[in-house]
Amino acid sequence: MTTLLLATAIYLNGVNIDGVRAQSFEKCRNVRIDEKGDVHLDCPGYQVEVPGAAAPAAASSKATPVPTVPVATASVAPSPTAITKHYFLVSEQKDGMAARYDVDVFVNSKFVRKVRAGEEQIVLDITRYLAPGTNKVLFAATKRAPAKPGPATSFLKLIVGEGESSGAQVLIDNPLLECKRTAAEIDNVNEEFTVQAR
């Protein structure tokens, strides 16, 4: 005899999203069904936004998942002034294929690009993804199979900073954050940073 279990509630990163329809979540780290039949989705890079956020009773039925980095919904609103600086994502690798990490880069809930182990250096202007004031940058690093340790001297490093481009060259004059994964590590790692754009 086949037993059919019906979930009593669905949670995305700990927030109830009952009533949500026609949504898909890519690269969830974990899906768990608890003893009550509730489904728990652990999906880095997503946050639940409650439109209006008026009545708590209505929040569970109107919650809409949006691909944002996992931060509190009551974040400080960015200043209305325009960004005058330029911001760049730069990759650096030393024997990146041995490091065996691919990194998905998100800026303010938007997927920017995947940086793959062993690929050529990336220099990417990410200013258009930023808003004046506080911004969130998420690096979701995934170890390629087989996940076995290697030398710590093999690495993939990502830097975000303020800079200027001149022809084919970019000068980073104010590094703001750095994410580094080495071959000695074997776990998938998500790192979130705050960047103040000005």
Side-chain angles (χ1 to χ4, degrees):
M1 183 174 95
T2 303
T3 303
L4 179 62
L5 297 176
L6 298 177
T8 55
I10 301 173
Y11 295 89
L12 173 63
N13 298 332
V15 180
N16 186 293
I17 59 168
D18 289 352
V20 171
R21 299 291 182 267
Q23 295 289 325
S24 62
F25 305 99
E26 296 180 9
K27 299 191 178 184
C28 286
R29 184 169 48 198
N30 188 28
V31 177
R32 177 177 61 87
I33 301 174
D34 66 17
E35 62 280 350
K36 295 187 294 184
D38 294 345
V39 177
H40 298 265
L41 305 173
D42 181 12
C43 305
Y46 289 89
Q47 171 189 320
V48 176
E49 182 179 278
V50 182
S60 65
S61 63
K62 292 187 177 181
T64 303
V66 294
T68 63
V69 291
V71 296
T73 54
S75 58
V76 179
S79 157
T81 60
I83 295 177
T84 59
K85 301 289 185 180
H86 293 279
Y87 295 85
F88 295 90
L89 168 70
V90 180
S91 69
E92 180 184 337
Q93 299 196 42
K94 181 178 178 187
D95 195 15
M97 287 304 291
R100 305 183 63 77
Y101 271 104
D102 294 336
V103 181
D104 289 329
V105 180
F106 295 86
V107 177
N108 290 334
S109 79
K110 294 183 177 71
F111 175 74
V112 175
R113 72 160 294 156
K114 180 187 288 288
V115 180
R116 298 181 187 279
E119 77 177 311
E120 294 294 319
Q121 182 179 39
I122 294 165
V123 179
L124 180 66
D125 188 337
I126 61 168
T127 308
R128 66 189 174 112
Y129 295 98
L130 300 171
T134 304
N135 296 269
K136 297 293 180 181
V137 177
L138 175 71
F139 295 119
T142 305
K143 186 79 169 186
R144 289 185 179 181
K148 57 183 181 181
T153 54
S154 299
F155 66 84
L156 166 63
K157 180 163 57 175
L158 299 174
I159 298 167
V160 171
E162 293 177 354
E164 292 298 329
S165 64
S166 175
Q169 294 189 344
V170 170
L171 172 65
I172 302 292
D173 50 25
N174 184 18
L176 300 173
L177 63 93
E178 178 183 301
C179 168
K180 184 177 181 180
R181 300 272 67 89
T182 73
E185 302 170 84
I186 60 169
D187 295 326
N188 295 339
V189 181
N190 293 323
E191 283 190 279
E192 183 185 74
F193 300 88
T194 300
V195 171
Q196 293 293 330
R198 55 200 178 99

